[in-house]
Amino acid sequence: MRHLLLFLFTMFVAGATAQTDTLTVRIKGMRCDECAHKVMKAVRQLPGIESLRSNTERRTTTIVYDRTKTCADSIEARLAATGRYKASPYSPSDTIRRGMGLRIDDMHCQNCANKIVKRLEQIEGIDSLAPHLDKHYVFIRYDANRTCKDIIREAIGELGYTPVNYYSGPKIGFAYYNIPKEQATQETIDKLLVYSEAIDDANVNTRSGSLAVTYFKDELSADQLLEATRQLGISAEVPAPHECKEATE
Protein backbone atom coordinates (compact mmCIF):
# COMPACT_ATOMS: atom_id res chain seq x y z
CA MET A 1 0.00 0.00 0.00
CA ARG A 2 2.82 2.39 0.88
CA HIS A 3 4.46 1.87 -2.51
CA LEU A 4 1.13 2.34 -4.27
CA LEU A 5 0.51 5.66 -2.49
CA LEU A 6 4.01 6.83 -3.33
CA PHE A 7 3.48 5.88 -6.97
CA LEU A 8 0.15 7.74 -7.13
CA PHE A 9 1.65 10.83 -5.48
CA THR A 10 4.56 10.82 -7.97
CA MET A 11 2.16 10.53 -10.88
CA PHE A 12 0.07 13.39 -9.48
CA VAL A 13 3.11 15.69 -9.18
CA ALA A 14 4.33 14.72 -12.65
CA GLY A 15 0.91 15.43 -14.08
CA ALA A 16 0.70 18.79 -12.39
CA THR A 17 4.18 19.75 -13.62
CA ALA A 18 3.34 18.65 -17.16
CA GLN A 19 0.51 21.21 -17.28
CA THR A 20 2.92 24.12 -16.75
CA ASP A 21 4.65 25.86 -19.64
CA THR A 22 7.08 28.78 -19.79
CA LEU A 23 7.10 31.54 -22.39
CA THR A 24 9.81 34.19 -22.73
CA VAL A 25 9.16 37.11 -25.08
CA ARG A 26 10.80 40.38 -26.06
CA ILE A 27 8.77 43.51 -25.31
CA LYS A 28 10.62 46.43 -26.84
CA GLY A 29 8.27 49.03 -25.35
CA MET A 30 9.03 47.85 -21.78
CA ARG A 31 11.77 50.27 -20.76
CA CYS A 32 11.32 50.75 -17.00
CA ASP A 33 9.87 49.22 -13.84
CA GLU A 34 6.58 51.04 -14.37
CA CYS A 35 6.31 49.48 -17.83
CA ALA A 36 7.07 46.05 -16.35
CA HIS A 37 4.27 46.56 -13.83
CA LYS A 38 1.84 47.41 -16.65
CA VAL A 39 2.88 44.27 -18.53
CA MET A 40 2.31 42.18 -15.42
CA LYS A 41 -1.09 43.77 -14.83
CA ALA A 42 -2.17 43.09 -18.43
CA VAL A 43 -1.04 39.46 -18.50
CA ARG A 44 -2.48 38.73 -15.05
CA GLN A 45 -5.94 39.33 -16.50
CA LEU A 46 -5.65 35.96 -18.26
CA PRO A 47 -6.57 32.75 -16.40
CA GLY A 48 -3.84 30.29 -15.49
CA ILE A 49 -0.93 32.78 -15.13
CA GLU A 50 1.30 31.47 -12.34
CA SER A 51 4.24 33.89 -12.37
CA LEU A 52 5.95 36.65 -14.35
CA ARG A 53 9.54 37.83 -14.24
CA SER A 54 10.62 40.84 -16.30
CA ASN A 55 14.09 42.07 -17.24
CA THR A 56 13.88 45.69 -18.37
CA GLU A 57 17.54 45.72 -19.45
CA ARG A 58 16.89 42.94 -21.97
CA ARG A 59 13.22 44.00 -22.28
CA THR A 60 12.08 40.43 -21.83
CA THR A 61 9.32 38.86 -19.76
CA THR A 62 9.23 35.21 -18.72
CA ILE A 63 5.73 33.91 -18.02
CA VAL A 64 4.89 30.62 -16.35
CA TYR A 65 1.33 29.50 -17.09
CA ASP A 66 -1.06 26.57 -16.90
CA ARG A 67 -1.57 25.46 -20.48
CA THR A 68 -4.94 23.90 -19.65
CA LYS A 69 -6.23 27.42 -18.93
CA THR A 70 -4.36 29.61 -21.42
CA CYS A 71 -1.75 29.42 -24.16
CA ALA A 72 1.13 31.36 -25.73
CA ASP A 73 -1.12 32.75 -28.47
CA SER A 74 -3.56 34.14 -25.90
CA ILE A 75 -0.72 35.74 -23.92
CA GLU A 76 0.76 37.35 -27.01
CA ALA A 77 -2.69 38.55 -28.12
CA ARG A 78 -3.26 40.12 -24.71
CA LEU A 79 0.06 41.97 -24.92
CA ALA A 80 -0.67 43.11 -28.49
CA ALA A 81 -3.98 44.55 -27.26
CA THR A 82 -2.06 46.96 -24.99
CA GLY A 83 -0.67 48.70 -28.08
CA ARG A 84 2.73 49.55 -26.60
CA TYR A 85 3.75 46.18 -25.17
CA LYS A 86 3.50 43.92 -28.19
CA ALA A 87 5.52 40.71 -27.81
CA SER A 88 8.10 39.42 -30.27
CA PRO A 89 10.16 36.18 -30.27
CA TYR A 90 13.14 35.89 -27.93
CA SER A 91 16.19 33.64 -28.08
CA PRO A 92 19.14 33.40 -25.66
CA SER A 93 21.37 33.69 -28.73
CA ASP A 94 19.92 37.09 -29.68
CA THR A 95 22.19 40.12 -29.61
CA ILE A 96 20.56 42.85 -27.51
CA ARG A 97 22.69 45.97 -27.75
CA ARG A 98 22.57 48.49 -24.94
CA GLY A 99 24.61 51.53 -24.04
CA MET A 100 25.22 53.26 -20.72
CA GLY A 101 27.35 56.03 -19.30
CA LEU A 102 29.02 55.75 -15.90
CA ARG A 103 30.38 58.72 -13.98
CA ILE A 104 33.59 57.71 -12.18
CA ASP A 105 34.89 60.66 -10.16
CA ASP A 106 37.83 58.65 -8.87
CA MET A 107 39.04 57.96 -12.44
CA HIS A 108 41.69 60.69 -12.31
CA CYS A 109 44.18 59.96 -15.06
CA GLN A 110 44.90 57.94 -18.17
CA ASN A 111 46.39 55.18 -16.05
CA CYS A 112 43.09 54.90 -14.16
CA ALA A 113 41.16 54.80 -17.43
CA ASN A 114 43.49 52.13 -18.82
CA LYS A 115 42.93 49.92 -15.76
CA ILE A 116 39.16 50.22 -16.10
CA VAL A 117 39.19 49.54 -19.84
CA LYS A 118 41.50 46.53 -19.42
CA ARG A 119 39.19 45.01 -16.80
CA LEU A 120 36.01 45.62 -18.77
CA GLU A 121 37.50 44.17 -21.94
CA GLN A 122 37.66 40.85 -20.08
CA ILE A 123 33.86 40.74 -19.70
CA GLU A 124 32.03 38.80 -22.38
CA GLY A 125 29.44 40.88 -24.20
CA ILE A 126 31.09 44.31 -24.03
CA ASP A 127 31.34 45.67 -27.57
CA SER A 128 33.06 49.03 -27.11
CA LEU A 129 34.39 51.41 -24.46
CA ALA A 130 34.96 55.14 -24.59
CA PRO A 131 36.51 56.77 -21.50
CA HIS A 132 36.28 60.58 -21.22
CA LEU A 133 38.78 61.77 -18.63
CA ASP A 134 37.75 65.43 -18.81
CA LYS A 135 34.23 64.55 -17.64
CA HIS A 136 35.20 61.53 -15.54
CA TYR A 137 32.90 59.13 -17.35
CA VAL A 138 32.99 56.00 -19.49
CA PHE A 139 30.48 55.13 -22.18
CA ILE A 140 29.96 51.40 -22.62
CA ARG A 141 28.17 49.45 -25.33
CA TYR A 142 27.31 45.87 -24.48
CA ASP A 143 25.11 42.88 -25.29
CA ALA A 144 22.47 42.59 -22.55
CA ASN A 145 22.10 38.90 -23.37
CA ARG A 146 25.74 38.30 -22.37
CA THR A 147 26.26 40.72 -19.49
CA CYS A 148 24.42 43.42 -17.55
CA LYS A 149 24.85 46.75 -15.79
CA ASP A 150 25.31 45.17 -12.38
CA ILE A 151 28.20 42.96 -13.56
CA ILE A 152 29.90 45.93 -15.24
CA ARG A 153 29.52 48.19 -12.19
CA GLU A 154 30.74 45.45 -9.86
CA ALA A 155 33.88 44.89 -11.98
CA ILE A 156 34.74 48.60 -11.83
CA GLY A 157 34.06 48.64 -8.08
CA GLU A 158 36.45 45.75 -7.50
CA LEU A 159 39.24 47.96 -8.85
CA GLY A 160 38.50 50.56 -6.16
CA TYR A 161 36.43 52.98 -8.22
CA THR A 162 32.89 54.23 -7.54
CA PRO A 163 30.68 54.35 -10.66
CA VAL A 164 27.23 55.96 -10.76
CA ASN A 165 24.78 56.73 -13.56
CA TYR A 166 25.99 59.41 -15.98
CA TYR A 167 23.74 61.71 -18.00
CA SER A 168 24.65 64.85 -19.87
CA GLY A 169 22.75 68.07 -19.33
CA PRO A 170 22.74 71.14 -17.07
CA LYS A 171 20.18 69.68 -14.63
CA ILE A 172 22.34 66.69 -13.69
CA GLY A 173 24.74 66.93 -10.76
CA PHE A 174 27.40 64.56 -9.44
CA ALA A 175 28.83 64.42 -5.94
CA TYR A 176 31.76 62.47 -4.55
CA TYR A 177 32.62 62.14 -0.86
CA ASN A 178 35.06 60.40 1.41
CA ILE A 179 33.26 58.33 4.04
CA PRO A 180 34.39 55.86 6.73
CA LYS A 181 34.89 52.44 5.20
CA GLU A 182 32.48 50.92 7.70
CA GLN A 183 29.76 53.18 6.25
CA ALA A 184 30.43 52.08 2.67
CA THR A 185 27.43 49.74 2.75
CA GLN A 186 24.15 49.05 1.02
CA GLU A 187 22.43 50.67 3.99
CA THR A 188 24.07 54.00 3.11
CA ILE A 189 22.90 53.69 -0.50
CA ASP A 190 19.36 52.84 0.60
CA LYS A 191 19.20 55.79 3.01
CA LEU A 192 20.03 58.24 0.23
CA LEU A 193 17.69 56.75 -2.35
CA VAL A 194 14.82 56.76 0.12
CA TYR A 195 15.61 60.29 1.29
CA SER A 196 14.71 62.05 -1.95
CA GLU A 197 13.52 61.31 -5.49
CA ALA A 198 16.00 63.98 -6.56
CA ILE A 199 18.73 61.38 -6.01
CA ASP A 200 18.89 59.22 -9.13
CA ASP A 201 21.73 56.91 -8.11
CA ALA A 202 24.21 56.31 -5.30
CA ASN A 203 27.13 53.95 -4.90
CA VAL A 204 29.84 53.24 -2.34
CA ASN A 205 33.23 51.58 -2.40
CA THR A 206 34.60 49.82 0.66
CA ARG A 207 38.11 49.66 -0.74
CA SER A 208 38.46 53.41 -1.24
CA GLY A 209 36.02 54.62 1.45
CA SER A 210 33.97 56.63 -1.02
CA LEU A 211 30.40 57.62 -1.82
CA ALA A 212 29.27 58.82 -5.25
CA VAL A 213 25.85 60.31 -6.07
CA THR A 214 23.97 61.34 -9.22
CA TYR A 215 21.22 63.89 -8.52
CA PHE A 216 18.94 66.47 -10.14
CA LYS A 217 20.23 69.99 -9.51
CA ASP A 218 16.87 71.69 -10.03
CA GLU A 219 15.54 69.79 -7.00
CA LEU A 220 18.62 69.55 -4.78
CA SER A 221 21.72 71.70 -4.51
CA ALA A 222 25.21 70.40 -3.77
CA ASP A 223 25.13 72.00 -0.30
CA GLN A 224 21.70 70.53 0.46
CA LEU A 225 22.86 67.09 -0.62
CA LEU A 226 25.92 67.21 1.62
CA GLU A 227 23.87 68.45 4.58
CA ALA A 228 21.22 65.76 4.01
CA THR A 229 23.91 63.10 3.82
CA ARG A 230 25.29 64.16 7.19
CA GLN A 231 21.80 64.38 8.72
CA LEU A 232 21.30 60.76 7.68
CA GLY A 233 24.27 59.85 9.87
CA ILE A 234 26.76 59.44 7.03
CA SER A 235 30.11 61.06 7.84
CA ALA A 236 30.70 62.52 4.38
CA GLU A 237 33.54 64.88 3.52
CA VAL A 238 34.35 66.54 0.21
CA PRO A 239 37.86 65.34 -0.68
CA ALA A 240 40.74 67.66 -1.41
CA PRO A 241 41.89 67.93 -5.05
CA HIS A 242 43.38 64.58 -5.94
CA GLU A 243 46.90 63.90 -7.10
CA CYS A 244 46.68 60.47 -8.67
CA LYS A 245 49.61 58.21 -7.73
CA GLU A 246 48.76 56.05 -10.73
CA ALA A 247 49.89 58.88 -13.01
CA THR A 248 53.55 58.31 -12.10
CA GLU A 249 53.50 54.53 -12.40
Side-chain angles (χ1 to χ4, degrees), residues 12 16 23 39 63 77-78 82 102 104 112 132 161 164 186 208:
F12 172 78
L23 173 69
V39 167
I63 304 155
R78 181 71 195 92
T82 66
L102 290 174
I104 310 174
C112 294
H132 298 262
Y161 301 102
V164 285
Q186 184 62 46
S208 58

PDB file of all heavy atoms in Angstrom, residues 12 16 23 39 63 77-78 82 102 104 112 132 161 164 186 208:
ATOM      1  N   PHE A  12       0.832  12.142  -9.651  1.00  0.00           N
ATOM      2  CA  PHE A  12       0.071  13.390  -9.483  1.00  0.00           C
ATOM      3  C   PHE A  12       0.975  14.606  -9.683  1.00  0.00           C
ATOM      4  O   PHE A  12       0.635  15.547 -10.397  1.00  0.00           O
ATOM      5  CB  PHE A  12      -0.559  13.431  -8.096  1.00  0.00           C
ATOM      6  CG  PHE A  12      -1.187  14.759  -7.765  1.00  0.00           C
ATOM      7  CD1 PHE A  12      -2.430  15.099  -8.276  1.00  0.00           C
ATOM      8  CD2 PHE A  12      -0.527  15.668  -6.951  1.00  0.00           C
ATOM      9  CE1 PHE A  12      -3.007  16.331  -7.985  1.00  0.00           C
ATOM     10  CE2 PHE A  12      -1.091  16.892  -6.661  1.00  0.00           C
ATOM     11  CZ  PHE A  12      -2.339  17.217  -7.178  1.00  0.00           C
ATOM     12  N   ALA A  16       0.850  17.363 -12.661  1.00  0.00           N
ATOM     13  CA  ALA A  16       0.695  18.794 -12.386  1.00  0.00           C
ATOM     14  C   ALA A  16       1.795  19.595 -13.059  1.00  0.00           C
ATOM     15  O   ALA A  16       1.559  20.666 -13.619  1.00  0.00           O
ATOM     16  CB  ALA A  16       0.704  19.042 -10.882  1.00  0.00           C
ATOM     17  N   LEU A  23       6.962  30.740 -21.179  1.00  0.00           N
ATOM     18  CA  LEU A  23       7.105  31.538 -22.391  1.00  0.00           C
ATOM     19  C   LEU A  23       7.949  32.768 -22.072  1.00  0.00           C
ATOM     20  O   LEU A  23       7.658  33.499 -21.134  1.00  0.00           O
ATOM     21  CB  LEU A  23       5.726  31.980 -22.899  1.00  0.00           C
ATOM     22  CG  LEU A  23       5.708  32.973 -24.072  1.00  0.00           C
ATOM     23  CD1 LEU A  23       6.212  32.307 -25.347  1.00  0.00           C
ATOM     24  CD2 LEU A  23       4.308  33.552 -24.273  1.00  0.00           C
ATOM     25  N   VAL A  39       2.872  45.564 -17.838  1.00  0.00           N
ATOM     26  CA  VAL A  39       2.880  44.269 -18.531  1.00  0.00           C
ATOM     27  C   VAL A  39       2.319  43.181 -17.620  1.00  0.00           C
ATOM     28  O   VAL A  39       1.477  42.377 -18.023  1.00  0.00           O
ATOM     29  CB  VAL A  39       4.308  43.911 -18.995  1.00  0.00           C
ATOM     30  CG1 VAL A  39       4.395  42.445 -19.428  1.00  0.00           C
ATOM     31  CG2 VAL A  39       4.743  44.828 -20.130  1.00  0.00           C
ATOM     32  N   ILE A  63       7.059  34.170 -18.577  1.00  0.00           N
ATOM     33  CA  ILE A  63       5.730  33.910 -18.023  1.00  0.00           C
ATOM     34  C   ILE A  63       5.545  32.412 -17.841  1.00  0.00           C
ATOM     35  O   ILE A  63       5.736  31.631 -18.778  1.00  0.00           O
ATOM     36  CB  ILE A  63       4.636  34.450 -18.976  1.00  0.00           C
ATOM     37  CG1 ILE A  63       4.876  35.945 -19.244  1.00  0.00           C
ATOM     38  CG2 ILE A  63       3.248  34.198 -18.409  1.00  0.00           C
ATOM     39  CD1 ILE A  63       4.290  36.428 -20.538  1.00  0.00           C
ATOM     40  N   ALA A  77      -1.565  37.728 -27.693  1.00  0.00           N
ATOM     41  CA  ALA A  77      -2.692  38.548 -28.125  1.00  0.00           C
ATOM     42  C   ALA A  77      -3.043  39.586 -27.064  1.00  0.00           C
ATOM     43  O   ALA A  77      -3.372  40.738 -27.378  1.00  0.00           O
ATOM     44  CB  ALA A  77      -3.897  37.663 -28.427  1.00  0.00           C
ATOM     45  N   ARG A  78      -2.957  39.183 -25.798  1.00  0.00           N
ATOM     46  CA  ARG A  78      -3.264  40.115 -24.706  1.00  0.00           C
ATOM     47  C   ARG A  78      -2.246  41.252 -24.675  1.00  0.00           C
ATOM     48  O   ARG A  78      -2.597  42.410 -24.454  1.00  0.00           O
ATOM     49  CB  ARG A  78      -3.259  39.365 -23.366  1.00  0.00           C
ATOM     50  CG  ARG A  78      -3.585  40.250 -22.178  1.00  0.00           C
ATOM     51  CD  ARG A  78      -5.047  40.664 -22.178  1.00  0.00           C
ATOM     52  NE  ARG A  78      -5.317  41.781 -21.283  1.00  0.00           N
ATOM     53  CZ  ARG A  78      -5.290  43.052 -21.633  1.00  0.00           C
ATOM     54  NH1 ARG A  78      -5.000  43.400 -22.883  1.00  0.00           N
ATOM     55  NH2 ARG A  78      -5.556  44.002 -20.757  1.00  0.00           N
ATOM     56  N   THR A  82      -2.479  45.788 -25.755  1.00  0.00           N
ATOM     57  CA  THR A  82      -2.062  46.962 -24.991  1.00  0.00           C
ATOM     58  C   THR A  82      -1.560  48.074 -25.911  1.00  0.00           C
ATOM     59  O   THR A  82      -1.459  49.230 -25.497  1.00  0.00           O
ATOM     60  CB  THR A  82      -0.947  46.620 -23.992  1.00  0.00           C
ATOM     61  OG1 THR A  82       0.246  46.237 -24.713  1.00  0.00           O
ATOM     62  CG2 THR A  82      -1.368  45.490 -23.064  1.00  0.00           C
ATOM     63  N   LEU A 102      28.737  55.821 -17.332  1.00  0.00           N
ATOM     64  CA  LEU A 102      29.017  55.752 -15.897  1.00  0.00           C
ATOM     65  C   LEU A 102      29.951  56.892 -15.511  1.00  0.00           C
ATOM     66  O   LEU A 102      31.023  57.058 -16.099  1.00  0.00           O
ATOM     67  CB  LEU A 102      29.653  54.409 -15.533  1.00  0.00           C
ATOM     68  CG  LEU A 102      28.752  53.182 -15.623  1.00  0.00           C
ATOM     69  CD1 LEU A 102      29.561  51.916 -15.370  1.00  0.00           C
ATOM     70  CD2 LEU A 102      27.591  53.276 -14.638  1.00  0.00           C
ATOM     71  N   ILE A 104      32.607  58.310 -13.087  1.00  0.00           N
ATOM     72  CA  ILE A 104      33.593  57.713 -12.178  1.00  0.00           C
ATOM     73  C   ILE A 104      34.519  58.828 -11.713  1.00  0.00           C
ATOM     74  O   ILE A 104      35.560  59.101 -12.311  1.00  0.00           O
ATOM     75  CB  ILE A 104      34.389  56.578 -12.874  1.00  0.00           C
ATOM     76  CG1 ILE A 104      33.434  55.584 -13.563  1.00  0.00           C
ATOM     77  CG2 ILE A 104      35.266  55.845 -11.858  1.00  0.00           C
ATOM     78  CD1 ILE A 104      34.131  54.522 -14.384  1.00  0.00           C
ATOM     79  N   CYS A 112      44.353  55.388 -14.733  1.00  0.00           N
ATOM     80  CA  CYS A 112      43.092  54.902 -14.158  1.00  0.00           C
ATOM     81  C   CYS A 112      42.173  54.386 -15.263  1.00  0.00           C
ATOM     82  O   CYS A 112      41.588  53.301 -15.162  1.00  0.00           O
ATOM     83  CB  CYS A 112      42.367  56.018 -13.410  1.00  0.00           C
ATOM     84  SG  CYS A 112      43.199  56.637 -11.940  1.00  0.00           S
ATOM     85  N   HIS A 132      36.139  59.134 -21.035  1.00  0.00           N
ATOM     86  CA  HIS A 132      36.278  60.580 -21.224  1.00  0.00           C
ATOM     87  C   HIS A 132      36.829  61.153 -19.918  1.00  0.00           C
ATOM     88  O   HIS A 132      36.075  61.457 -18.993  1.00  0.00           O
ATOM     89  CB  HIS A 132      34.930  61.205 -21.566  1.00  0.00           C
ATOM     90  CG  HIS A 132      34.342  60.688 -22.842  1.00  0.00           C
ATOM     91  ND1 HIS A 132      34.457  61.353 -24.047  1.00  0.00           N
ATOM     92  CD2 HIS A 132      33.640  59.547 -23.106  1.00  0.00           C
ATOM     93  CE1 HIS A 132      33.847  60.659 -25.003  1.00  0.00           C
ATOM     94  NE2 HIS A 132      33.345  59.565 -24.458  1.00  0.00           N
ATOM     95  N   TYR A 161      37.115  51.795  -7.719  1.00  0.00           N
ATOM     96  CA  TYR A 161      36.428  52.984  -8.224  1.00  0.00           C
ATOM     97  C   TYR A 161      34.942  52.936  -7.851  1.00  0.00           C
ATOM     98  O   TYR A 161      34.424  51.902  -7.426  1.00  0.00           O
ATOM     99  CB  TYR A 161      36.599  53.086  -9.744  1.00  0.00           C
ATOM    100  CG  TYR A 161      38.043  53.173 -10.164  1.00  0.00           C
ATOM    101  CD1 TYR A 161      38.713  52.061 -10.678  1.00  0.00           C
ATOM    102  CD2 TYR A 161      38.760  54.356 -10.033  1.00  0.00           C
ATOM    103  CE1 TYR A 161      40.047  52.127 -11.047  1.00  0.00           C
ATOM    104  CE2 TYR A 161      40.098  54.439 -10.398  1.00  0.00           C
ATOM    105  CZ  TYR A 161      40.735  53.315 -10.908  1.00  0.00           C
ATOM    106  OH  TYR A 161      42.060  53.387 -11.265  1.00  0.00           O
ATOM    107  N   VAL A 164      28.660  55.659 -10.888  1.00  0.00           N
ATOM    108  CA  VAL A 164      27.227  55.960 -10.763  1.00  0.00           C
ATOM    109  C   VAL A 164      26.709  56.345 -12.149  1.00  0.00           C
ATOM    110  O   VAL A 164      27.486  56.623 -13.069  1.00  0.00           O
ATOM    111  CB  VAL A 164      26.929  57.094  -9.757  1.00  0.00           C
ATOM    112  CG1 VAL A 164      27.079  56.624  -8.331  1.00  0.00           C
ATOM    113  CG2 VAL A 164      27.801  58.313 -10.033  1.00  0.00           C
ATOM    114  N   GLN A 186      25.436  48.926   1.709  1.00  0.00           N
ATOM    115  CA  GLN A 186      24.149  49.045   1.017  1.00  0.00           C
ATOM    116  C   GLN A 186      23.185  49.895   1.823  1.00  0.00           C
ATOM    117  O   GLN A 186      22.338  50.598   1.262  1.00  0.00           O
ATOM    118  CB  GLN A 186      23.556  47.653   0.783  1.00  0.00           C
ATOM    119  CG  GLN A 186      22.257  47.638  -0.025  1.00  0.00           C
ATOM    120  CD  GLN A 186      22.430  48.181  -1.430  1.00  0.00           C
ATOM    121  OE1 GLN A 186      23.376  47.830  -2.128  1.00  0.00           O
ATOM    122  NE2 GLN A 186      21.510  49.044  -1.851  1.00  0.00           N
ATOM    123  N   SER A 208      37.952  52.039  -1.242  1.00  0.00           N
ATOM    124  CA  SER A 208      38.456  53.414  -1.240  1.00  0.00           C
ATOM    125  C   SER A 208      37.798  54.298  -0.186  1.00  0.00           C
ATOM    126  O   SER A 208      38.226  55.428   0.036  1.00  0.00           O
ATOM    127  CB  SER A 208      38.232  54.044  -2.622  1.00  0.00           C
ATOM    128  OG  SER A 208      36.860  54.019  -2.970  1.00  0.00           O
TER     129      SER A 208
END
